[in-house]
């Protein structure tokens, strides 16, 4: 730690004195030698952009209320890096302020197993968001800033960005959200060096950046991004404003190394050989630093340190119970349960805020009841799905429980990358997808979300629940809000019957407790097994009745968690000799794919078939669309008959 006795945190002085400026400028030269060395040793990385952003990093980590001691807590300031490829600059600044050890960074930058990855990740203390592709960071910053405001805290959020990413649409979405929500605790800094990979930023995609930020309601400041005094003054000015503020920091690509300065070549190219020695001489560094780092690289890398998810304290309440006479849909049951949980916790001391995001569909996705009961916890984001997905995810790391409800094609298909980044960042988002499958009917093929299971299967942390009726939906909603980690609930649009036991009582009524991964035996049988999910359950019962009339007995198993199958359930189904899956999802990537793979892994070989969506659907009443797809109960019964007749 080379800045151990420099105190700029929370702007304790109007301006830094000469001694402080000299200390930071000297630290900047040392950090630049670290940047050049780590990228040379790795023979990859982005040295020039890291050099141009360095003073931004040093000043932000200097003034922010985040320290090597409190970085894992939630009552502090947050720093989000959007142009994550400038990770060498971030790591060097963090080492200068004592968050990490410089020798570890130099030796293990971009080495396998090291937390010091090529793009910043949350495994490094002081890094609050794994940035992923460009254009994500401001959305995450909005999420953190919203969480601080809703929790009644005074923490600030700093977002560091590049100028090349400014033309991405998601940034415009995030700008508008920050302005609408009056997030005066949010400061963005843009490294304006006018260079990106392919050349001059102003030539590659011209844009009047200042005008865009001003048009969206931000206060715009400009400063020399390499001048310590100007940067400090601008950051301090931004902290006193009642608007979100952006700093246009005029910098030079490759600043401090003559042959890198103002040249696109070194955007993503390391200095090698004599050029490395020349760079170190210009920076006043010792070229032997490279050999020392190379020797250390042969040792095991340090372990990453990721902060735990913030604690959650919610009263999830008691489930409502729907009977045979109740005619409703799963989304209405979800909305009723959500509003109940919200009301139980709204502004109660000691409770975690439950924040609901909506993209102009509150009535359709049934979060309007929550909005009426908990208005200060309801965020209307407009038709801005890309930014909302990232904002909601990041908000969970700032200490609230966020829920975003949207149509399936918008909440997962359109924003798959953002949900993947939520998975990578280990967020605690509750995603509710309505209008999934062919059940959307008349909206047609573009709005029939038939790939959500497959998309979430591609992640490693998301949990998926596809409830079968209103009672299970209520219980799954309360489970999701209390469960740690990313949980998705998926449901159709139409009203559907309450599932009953053979004695006429609600199957998912009193006494039922939702357990993730637990399949439910809706009806028993000996001649085959139908595995279904979601609103296909009542149709599966209809198939069973058609087959029973012919003396053919089949089990009906509701698999509400298609990404977490019980081997015991698979063995029970396979023991009948015939297993079929029944879903209104892409047949190659949904429940059938999960079950088929599960049977294979378990060494089970029953007669097996998947009934699902095999083409984009038609536009019409959902029953007609199911029949056109060959998924009406009568058609499935005939398919099961054929399979049964073909068994040897």
């Amino acid at each position: 730690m080379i800045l151990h006795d420099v105190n700029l945190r929370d702007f304790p002085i109007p301006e830094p004195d000469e001694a402080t400026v000299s200390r930071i400028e000297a630290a900047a030269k040392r950090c630049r030698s670290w940047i050049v060395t780590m990228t040379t040793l790795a023979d990859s990385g982005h040295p020039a952009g890291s050099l141009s952003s360095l003073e931004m990093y040093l000043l932000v980590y200097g003034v922010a209320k985040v320290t090597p001691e409190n970085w894992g807590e939630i009552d502090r300031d947050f720093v989000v890096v959007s142009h994550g490829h400038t990770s060498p600059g971030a790591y060097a600044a963090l080492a200068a302020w004592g968050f990490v050890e410089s020798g570890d960074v130099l030796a293990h930058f971009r080495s396998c197993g090291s937390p010091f990855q090529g793009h910043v990740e949350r495994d490094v203390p002081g890094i609050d968001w794994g940035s992923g592709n460009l254009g994500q960071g401001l959305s995450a910053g909005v999420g953190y800033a919203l969480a601080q405001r809703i929790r009644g805290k005074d923490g600030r959020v700093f977002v560091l960005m590049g100028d090349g990413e400014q033309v991405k649409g998601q940034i415009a979405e995030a700008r508008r959200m920050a302005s609408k929500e009056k997030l005066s605790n949010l400061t963005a800094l843009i490294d304006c060096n006018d260079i990106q990979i392919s050349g001059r930023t102003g030539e590659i995609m011209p844009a009047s950046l200042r005008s865009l930020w001003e048009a969206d309601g931000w206060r715009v400041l400009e400063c020399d991004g390499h001048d310590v005094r100007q940067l400090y003054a601008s950051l301090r000015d931004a902290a006193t404003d009642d608007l979100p503020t952006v700093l246009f920091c005029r910098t030079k690509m490759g600043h401090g190394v003559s042959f890198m300065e103002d040249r696109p070549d070194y955007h993503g190219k390391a200095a090698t050989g004599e050029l490395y020695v020349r760079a170190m001489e210009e920076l006043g560094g010792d070229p032997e630093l490279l050999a020392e780092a190379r020797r250390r690289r042969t040792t095991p890398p340090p372990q990453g340190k990721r902060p735990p998810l913030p604690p959650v304290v919610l009263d999830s309440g008691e489930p409502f119970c729907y009977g045979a006479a109740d005619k409703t849909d799963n989304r209405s049951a979800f909305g009723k349960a959500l509003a109940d949980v919200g009301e139980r916790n709204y502004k109660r001391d000691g409770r975690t805020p439950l924040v609901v995001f909506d993209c102009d569909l509150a009535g359709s996705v049934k979060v309007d009841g929550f909005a009426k009961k908990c208005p200060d916890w309801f965020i209307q984001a407009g038709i801005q799905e890309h930014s909302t997905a990232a904002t909601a995810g990041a908000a969970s790391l700032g200490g609230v429980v966020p829920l975003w409800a949207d149509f399936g094609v918008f909440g997962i298909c359109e924003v798959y990358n953002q949900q993947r980044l939520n998975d990578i960042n280990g967020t605690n988002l509750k995603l509710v997808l309505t209008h999934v499958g062919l059940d959307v009917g008349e909206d047609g093929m573009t709005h029939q979300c038939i790939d959500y299971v497959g998309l979430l299967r591609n992640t490693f942390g998301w949990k998926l629940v596809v409830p079968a009726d209103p009672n299970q939906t209520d219980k799954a909603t309360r489970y999701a809000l209390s469960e740690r980690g990313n949980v998705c609930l998926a449901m159709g649009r139409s009203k559907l019957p309450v599932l009953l036991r053979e004695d006429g009582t609600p199957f998912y009524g009193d006494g039922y407790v939702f357990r993730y991964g637990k399949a439910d035996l809706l009806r028993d049988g000996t001649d085959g097994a139908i595995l279904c999910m979601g609103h296909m359950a009542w149709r599966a019962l209809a198939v069973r009745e058609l087959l029973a009339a012919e003396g053919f007995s089949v089990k009906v198993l509701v698999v509400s968690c298609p990404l977490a199958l019980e081997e015991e359930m698979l063995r029970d189904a396979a023991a009948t000799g015939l297993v079929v899956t029944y879903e209104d999802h892409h047949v190659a990537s949904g429940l059938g794919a999960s079950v088929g793979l599960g049977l294979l892994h378990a060494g089970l070989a029953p007669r097996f078939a998947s009934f699902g969506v095999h083409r984009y659907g038609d536009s019409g009443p959902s029953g007609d669309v199911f029949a056109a797809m060959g998924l009406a109960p009568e058609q499935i019964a005939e398919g099961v008959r054929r399979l049964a007749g073909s068994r040897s």
Side-chain angles (χ1 to χ4, degrees):
M1 179 177 179
I2 57 178
L3 292 172
H4 58 90
D5 57 351
V6 174
N7 180 23
L8 301 177
R9 191 165 298 115
D10 203 23
F11 310 102
I13 51 177
E15 63 179 40
D17 58 24
E18 187 64 39
T20 299
V21 171
S22 296
R23 288 291 309 281
I24 295 173
E25 289 176 344
K29 291 196 74 172
R30 177 86 67 87
C31 287
R32 284 189 162 87
S33 71
W34 292 345
I35 289 169
V36 172
T37 298
M38 70 177 85
T39 53
T40 295
L41 179 58
D43 195 25
S44 67
H46 298 267
S50 300
L51 295 172
S52 67
S53 292
L54 182 60
E55 280 82 7
M56 291 165 51
Y57 280 121
L58 284 171
L59 267 294
V60 164
Y61 281 112
V63 303
K65 292 181 291 184
V66 56
T67 69
E69 292 74 38
N70 75 356
W71 64 268
E73 303 170 7
I74 57 172
D75 293 336
R76 59 173 176 89
D77 290 352
F78 291 86
V79 179
V80 174
V81 179
S82 186
H83 59 329
H85 61 277
T86 63
S87 58
Y91 301 151
L94 288 168
W97 287 109
F99 288 81
V100 295
E101 205 275 306
S102 61
D104 286 340
V105 176
L106 295 179
H108 295 292
F109 173 62
R110 290 191 170 217
S111 69
C112 189
S114 168
F116 304 111
Q117 296 197 18
H119 289 69
V120 295
E121 300 294 345
R122 291 184 63 237
D123 299 290
V124 176
I127 299 296
D128 287 319
W129 188 253
S131 57
N133 53 307
L134 290 169
Q136 308 289 324
L138 190 61
S139 301
V142 170
Y144 278 115
L146 279 169
Q148 295 298 297
R149 188 194 72 188
I150 290 170
R151 294 178 59 242
K153 303 298 180 179
D154 63 356
R156 297 194 59 78
V157 180
F158 300 88
V159 179
L160 292 92
M161 314 172 74
D163 54 356
E165 65 180 311
Q166 295 304 308
V167 295
K168 294 197 76 166
Q170 183 173 333
I171 292 177
E173 293 181 6
R175 283 199 307 261
R176 289 188 286 267
M177 174 66 79
S179 180
K180 171 181 177 286
E181 295 297 326
K182 298 179 173 60
L183 298 179
S184 59
N185 60 339
L186 179 61
T187 300
L189 299 89
I190 303 175
D191 181 359
C192 297
N193 58 40
D194 193 36
I195 286 180
Q196 57 192 91
I197 290 177
S198 300
R200 295 287 173 185
T201 297
E203 298 172 356
I204 291 169
M205 184 50 63
S208 179
L209 298 184
R210 179 174 184 130
S211 299
L212 290 171
W213 285 81
E214 288 178 334
D216 285 329
W218 284 63
R219 185 183 180 210
V220 178
L221 301 176
E222 295 192 32
C223 67
D224 182 336
H226 298 306
D227 187 299
V228 172
R229 287 188 177 86
Q230 286 192 35
L231 264 173
Y232 181 87
S234 297
L235 287 166
R236 188 169 184 268
D237 191 0
T240 61
D241 204 347
D242 59 358
L243 294 174
T245 302
V246 59
L247 277 56
F248 280 73
C249 303
R250 299 185 303 276
T251 64
K252 183 176 288 187
M253 175 70 81
H255 183 70
V257 179
S258 61
F259 59 86
M260 291 186 182
E261 285 190 352
D262 205 33
R263 291 182 58 188
D265 304 27
Y266 284 92
H267 184 286
K269 183 176 71 172
T272 58
E274 292 185 2
L275 286 177
Y276 169 76
V277 175
R278 178 179 166 188
M280 295 298 281
E281 289 174 349
E282 292 180 5
L283 294 169
D286 184 357
E288 287 301 312
L289 193 60
L290 180 62
E292 180 183 336
R294 181 172 286 115
R295 286 191 295 270
R296 187 163 174 173
R297 196 175 179 88
T298 61
T299 64
Q303 296 297 304
K305 299 177 182 179
R306 177 168 291 204
L309 280 173
V312 172
V313 181
L314 280 177
D315 176 4
S316 59
E318 294 297 322
F320 300 117
C321 188
Y322 301 87
D326 293 310
K327 301 298 181 184
T328 188
D329 49 28
N330 285 352
R331 58 195 170 113
S332 294
F334 148 72
K336 186 176 179 181
L338 175 67
D340 178 57
V341 176
E343 189 173 29
R344 289 173 180 273
N345 295 277
Y346 189 54
K347 296 187 176 181
R348 303 284 180 89
D349 289 342
R351 302 288 172 77
T352 304
L354 171 58
V355 182
V356 171
F357 291 81
D358 177 57
C359 286
D360 196 38
L361 289 170
S364 295
V365 299
K366 306 301 182 182
V367 296
D368 48 345
F370 177 94
K372 292 175 182 176
K373 292 183 177 181
C374 311
D376 290 343
W377 287 0
F378 178 76
I379 305 295
Q380 178 53 258
I383 306 172
Q384 299 192 136
E385 291 84 2
H386 293 88
S387 187
T388 301
T391 293
S396 71
L397 303 180
V400 303
V401 175
L403 181 145
W404 177 36
D406 211 328
F407 287 10
V409 290
F410 308 142
I412 184 65
C413 301
E414 181 175 349
V415 298
Y416 171 70
N417 174 63
Q418 286 76 6
Q419 302 300 10
R420 178 178 179 270
L421 284 177
N422 283 332
D423 188 42
I424 289 171
N425 279 288
T427 62
N428 186 37
L429 175 61
K430 313 309 166 188
L431 174 66
V432 178
L433 305 178
T434 68
H435 298 67
V436 302
L438 300 176
D439 190 46
V440 179
E442 289 89 345
D443 280 345
M445 62 182 69
T446 59
H447 282 54
Q448 293 164 359
C449 179
I450 55 170
D451 43 5
Y452 61 97
V453 177
L455 289 171
L456 288 175
R457 180 185 287 113
N458 291 332
T459 68
F460 296 96
W462 273 96
K463 294 180 179 177
L464 171 63
V465 183
V466 191
D469 80 344
N471 282 319
Q472 192 182 31
T473 300
D474 182 294
K475 293 176 171 64
T477 298
R478 298 173 195 272
Y479 154 82
L481 293 173
S482 301
E483 178 70 3
R484 306 297 295 280
N486 296 315
V487 182
C488 174
L489 302 182
M491 58 198 74
R493 177 179 68 175
S494 302
K495 292 182 178 181
L496 67 169
V498 172
L499 297 176
L500 305 175
R501 300 182 185 278
E502 291 184 279
D503 64 6
T505 59
F507 187 91
Y508 292 110
D510 294 339
Y512 170 78
V513 177
F514 179 84
R515 293 186 177 88
Y516 187 75
K518 177 69 176 176
D520 300 304
L521 181 62
L522 197 56
R523 295 289 188 274
D524 206 355
T526 57
D527 300 323
I530 301 175
L531 278 59
C532 58
M533 65 179 184
H535 53 249
M536 303 303 284
W538 70 266
R539 291 181 171 88
L541 287 178
V543 174
R544 182 180 188 275
E545 292 304 309
L546 290 169
L547 294 171
E550 303 171 13
F552 194 78
S553 170
V554 296
K555 297 176 184 289
V556 175
L557 286 153
V558 175
V559 183
S560 59
C561 307
L563 303 183
L565 302 183
E566 301 173 293
E567 185 173 319
E568 180 182 355
M569 179 271 294
L570 293 174
R571 290 190 179 279
D572 180 58
T576 67
L578 174 63
V579 175
V580 300
T581 56
Y582 185 22
E583 60 187 318
D584 68 334
H585 187 283
H586 194 304
V587 70
S589 64
L591 177 62
S594 295
V595 170
L597 190 60
L599 291 170
L600 180 65
H601 285 169
L604 302 170
R607 184 71 174 170
F608 173 69
S610 299
F611 295 106
V613 177
H614 53 83
R615 62 174 175 83
Y616 292 112
D618 301 317
S619 175
S622 60
D624 294 348
V625 176
F626 276 101
M629 192 64 69
L631 293 175
E634 297 80 6
Q635 294 165 311
I636 301 303
E638 176 58 31
V640 174
R641 289 189 202 100
R642 289 197 304 271
L643 286 166
S646 68
R647 284 189 293 175
S648 57

